Structure formats: structure tokens, C-alpha cells
Amino acid sequence: MILFYPYYDIITIQMIRRITSTVLAVFIVATLAIIVIAYGRGFRLNFNNKTFTSTGILSASSYPDKASVWIDGQLKSATSTSLSLSPGWYNVKITKEGYQSWEQKIHIQGEIMSQVDALLIPTNPSLRALTITGIMHPTLSPSGTKVAYIISPREATISGSLKAKSGIYIFELRTDALGNVIDPKPLYQPITNLDWQNARLSWSPDEKNILLTFIKVVRTKEQIIQVYLFETDASQNVPVDVTNRYEAVLKDWQDLAKIKETTKFSTLPESIYNTLSTSAGNLKMSPDDSKILYLATSSATLSSVISPPLIGSNSTEEKRSIQNGNYYIYDKKEDKNYLIASQKSLSQPITITWYTDSKHIVIVENATIYIIDYDGSNKHGVYSGPFLNNTVYPWPGGNKLVILTNFNHGEGSPNLYQIDLR
């Protein structure tokens, strides 16, 4: 017997099939979208307990790159990559042959990306001379991009160079398009010999002028003998005698420096600014103005500006209670404060300064140069050979330090040398 379905029953069956197919397609697309979104937020399938759990992302980078990333003693990957990790604390170590290891404890949070950026210091950095004439009284400009120095007549003679003449020179800490160091620019070359041994150089805060001050020491006290003013951009520099206006010029420069300093520090949160104004000194803003290095001059407590702390912020333990005689770094972006060093271990303020990437500090302790992460971790020795007057200048483009030293056992004046950190 043959059965015939009514026409409307056939239409109904077809509609049901279409609706079912559409619903199934929508379900599959929605499920895939949920999986993709969950994966992007850090969720992963745990095959051990057959659960879909939240993970965090560790983004690891280094300079130089292509370094090995170790997690809790196990090699996981190379730098310039991201790793998915279950929430918790991990010991992260980054290594590369020929470089000192970088290591830190990192807290991984679910659905959050944590970032580490390791500056790897060579085990044996190379040295190269930047000047060969012998120099005196090197003075770094406020921006850290130029060094003014003096070549004495004696050094100009014994150097054997036809170009070398005594006088004041400006050396720019940069290279040309081919990577060559820029030749020093003469600022002033006097016709007669001057007493350069008792001369001093000073930059104006805007770097448009330099003061040449001649002093005389009488019973351990310095007396101003003569002061000349130079324009750093002038093609032919004629010294302007400002001996009688020295105090006024100095005050103008101090006022200008104060205005620039106040402008920078006014970006700090009000409560932090008030505390540092009364309980800190030797304030140094990082090159990118994101952090501030300071010396605590009295005990105080920094109030919390961001509460609770930012998700994914630096997990290194901070110190909000500051103690007199310690150096600290305050991170404006994350509202974190870290202990760096004790004043007792540093001979003078110039022995601690910012590295050019604003993520590290250069310090001199016991005649050794170190580079430290801004949170006080990963203290690595860079150089422990001879260098004079604790003179260390970070190269503005990074990857180098500049020191003043003399390898000729006291013969002649010292020269500037670069420590290559590549």
C-alpha cells in the first residue's frame, strides 16, 4: 500500500529541517566564538583533570633577543614570545651565552598578561677609546647628551695630532648614520696659554651657554678669579667676561633649573609630591618622566594613590615606608615605590643615575659599576677596572656607558672610553 503525505506536511518537514540547520549553525558559530574569546582571555583545557581553566600570559622579551626563557628551572621558549601559565608564582630566568643571567619571581594572574623585559649584561664588555688627546674637567650637560671638556696645551702637543689644539670642546654622545662617533666640536681655542688646571666648566640648564670659571685655592677655600661666558651654538665664540655678574648669572640659572624641575615634579600625585617635598632630596626624574629616583632625608610613609593595585603591575615587593639615608624609586604609572640602595654604600650623589631606557639604574659601589632594574632586582656588575672621579655617563641611545680613565699609569691626562653593552 502506498502512503501519500499531504502537501502541507512536506512543507512543514522542510521548514523544520531548515530551522534545525540554522539553529545548529548558529550554535556552532556561537560556541566557536566563545572558545576563541575564552582562549584569548587565557582559558585553557587542562587534560589532567579535564577542566577548562583560566590561565595568565607571560610575555618575555630581552635585549639582546633570542635568549632562553626558563620557568621554574625548565627551558620553555625563547624571548620575544608569550607563554600561557596557570595562576601562581613562578621563578623566571632568562639566559644567553656570553651574558649574565636575569632572574625574577613573577606573579601570574588569570586572564592577565604579565610582561618581563630583561636587559642582559655581557660577561666581558669591550672597551673603546672615544677621545685620544687627553682631557680635563669633563662635564655632562643637563640632558645627558653632550660632554664639555678641556684639552691642555701639553696634551695638544704630545698627542701628535695636527688637529689637536688646546681649549674647550663639546663632544656629542651620538653616532652618525653609519654608526661612527661624531668628532668633538671646538668651542673656544685661546691664543695664549691659560691655567686650565684651575678651571671649571658649567652648563646652563637650557644648554645654550657654558661658564668657564678660573679659581684659586687659598687655605683650602676656593676663590673666583675670572669667569667667562660662551654660547654653545655660536660659530665663532668670543668669551664674555662675566666675573662681576657671576653671582647674578648663577642665580638666573638656578631659577631656570628650579622652574624646569617644578614643572616635571608637578605631574606627581599631590600626596606623593607633598611627601617628597619635605622628606626627600637629590630628586632625578627618569628620561621618560615615568619614574623618580630620590634620596630619603627623613622617615615618612607614601600614601596609596591607586587602590587596589593595578592588575598585572610589577609583582616585586615595594617599600612605602621610606627611611632616612636610602635611595628609592617611585613609579608614577603603577604607584609603586622600591628600595634601591643605601647612601652609605654610595660615595656621592653622582654615583647613582638613570640608565637611558628609564627601566634601569647605574650605580657605583666600591669602585665597581653596576646596572640594576628599577625595582631593585638584578644587580649586575658591568665594569670593575680603573676609572676616575666616579665618572660614568649612560650613552643616550643606550647599549653603552662612558667612563673617564687612564691606562698609562698616570702619564698624561685621562680619556673618555665607551663600555659596549651589546
Side-chain angles (χ1 to χ4, degrees):
M1 181 175 64
I2 299 176
L3 299 176
F4 293 95
Y5 291 100
Y7 176 75
Y8 64 85
D9 288 341
I10 296 175
I11 297 299
T12 302
I13 293 173
Q14 290 178 344
M15 289 180 63
I16 292 174
R17 288 177 177 174
R18 289 176 182 174
I19 293 172
T20 303
S21 299
T22 302
V23 172
L24 182 60
V26 170
F27 176 77
I28 294 173
V29 171
T31 301
L32 290 174
I34 292 173
I35 292 174
V36 169
I37 293 173
Y39 188 88
R41 294 181 61 180
F43 284 84
R44 297 292 185 273
L45 180 62
N46 190 323
F47 292 98
N48 294 328
N49 53 23
K50 297 180 181 180
T51 58
F52 199 53
T53 58
S54 171
T55 64
I57 304 296
L58 175 67
S59 176
S61 60
S62 67
Y63 182 87
D65 59 2
K66 298 181 180 178
S68 300
V69 179
W70 300 75
I71 307 294
D72 289 342
Q74 296 184 346
L75 178 61
K76 292 295 184 179
S77 182
T79 50
S80 300
T81 190
S82 296
L83 300 171
S84 296
L85 299 171
S86 300
W89 286 91
Y90 293 88
N91 186 59
V92 180
K93 188 175 183 179
I94 297 179
T95 64
K96 187 177 179 69
E97 186 176 1
Y99 293 83
Q100 301 178 55
S101 299
W102 182 96
E103 192 168 359
Q104 197 166 38
K105 290 202 70 173
I106 303 296
H107 187 216
I108 299 297
Q109 299 171 272
E111 305 181 51
I112 300 298
M113 175 179 287
S114 299
Q115 188 169 358
V116 297
D117 186 13
L119 175 65
L120 301 179
I121 305 300
T123 305
N124 296 297
S126 60
L127 274 175
R128 184 164 70 90
L130 293 174
T131 62
I132 59 175
T133 58
I135 68 171
M136 303 169 61
H137 313 308
T139 307
L140 188 67
S141 67
S143 66
T145 60
K146 304 169 188 173
V147 179
Y149 60 79
I150 294 170
I151 299 178
S152 70
R154 177 177 179 273
E155 295 296 338
T157 302
I158 67 175
S159 68
S161 172
L162 295 178
K163 293 183 179 180
K165 295 181 180 179
S166 65
I168 305 173
Y169 288 78
I170 294 179
F171 180 66
E172 293 192 51
L173 303 181
R174 65 182 181 91
T175 56
D176 59 22
L178 299 177
N180 299 314
V181 175
I182 305 297
D183 290 334
K185 182 186 76 172
L187 181 69
Y188 173 59
Q189 295 176 323
I191 299 176
T192 58
N193 291 336
L194 298 175
D195 183 14
W196 295 116
Q197 192 65 41
N198 292 314
R200 299 291 184 270
L201 297 175
S202 307
W203 287 88
S204 63
D206 57 9
E207 302 185 5
K208 292 181 179 180
N209 299 102
I210 284 180
L211 280 182
L212 169 62
T213 306
F214 290 96
I215 64 171
K216 180 180 179 181
V217 179
V218 179
R219 295 179 181 177
T220 69
K221 292 185 178 180
E222 293 184 351
Q223 294 182 358
I224 304 298
I225 304 301
Q226 206 78 27
V227 184
Y228 296 99
L229 181 71
F230 298 91
E231 294 182 7
T232 56
D233 293 331
S235 56
Q236 293 183 343
N237 233 312
V238 178
V240 178
D241 191 335
V242 294
T243 306
N244 295 331
R245 297 191 294 115
Y246 174 67
E247 296 295 337
V249 171
L250 211 59
K251 185 179 185 306
D252 289 342
W253 287 12
Q254 290 171 348
D255 291 343
L256 180 58
K258 188 67 176 178
I259 291 173
K260 294 180 67 175
E261 180 181 281
T262 302
T263 302
K264 279 189 174 183
F265 297 146
S266 63
T267 61
L268 288 168
E270 184 178 359
S271 61
I272 302 298
Y273 178 83
N274 292 336
T275 301
L276 297 186
S277 297
T278 57
S279 303
N282 296 331
L283 283 70
K284 299 178 182 178
M285 194 71 77
S286 63
D288 66 357
D289 294 340
S290 66
K291 306 174 186 71
I292 183 170
L293 168 67
Y294 64 93
L295 172 66
T297 54
S298 62
S299 298
T301 300
L302 299 181
S303 60
S304 295
V305 177
I306 301 177
S307 184
L310 293 175
I311 298 175
S313 61
N314 192 325
S315 52
T316 301
E317 182 183 2
E318 62 169 333
K319 302 289 185 182
R320 300 202 78 88
S321 294
I322 63 177
Q323 302 297 322
N324 179 26
N326 288 337
Y327 281 95
Y328 298 87
I329 284 179
Y330 175 74
D331 184 347
K332 294 194 297 181
K333 182 179 178 180
E334 295 189 351
D335 183 35
K336 295 289 187 73
N337 195 68
Y338 303 101
L339 173 64
I340 301 300
S342 169
Q343 185 183 22
K344 295 179 181 179
S345 64
L346 306 177
S347 57
Q348 47 188 311
I350 65 169
T351 57
I352 180 167
T353 188
W354 282 102
Y355 189 61
T356 50
D357 62 0
S358 299
K359 299 177 182 178
H360 300 85
I361 292 293
V362 180
I363 69 170
V364 179
E365 286 183 338
N366 301 319
T368 300
I369 302 172
Y370 296 91
I371 289 183
I372 309 175
D373 287 5
Y374 77 92
D375 58 8
S377 63
N378 289 291
K379 182 178 181 180
H380 293 305
V382 177
Y383 177 80
S384 58
F387 65 106
L388 304 176
N389 304 327
N390 292 316
T391 301
V392 182
Y393 306 143
W395 191 270
N399 314 328
K400 302 175 187 176
L401 295 177
V402 178
I403 63 172
L404 179 70
T405 189
N406 188 350
F407 293 108
N408 294 324
H409 304 289
E411 293 293 329
S413 297
N415 279 291
L416 295 176
Y417 284 78
Q418 76 171 37
I419 303 174
D420 194 350
L421 301 180
R422 291 178 296 182

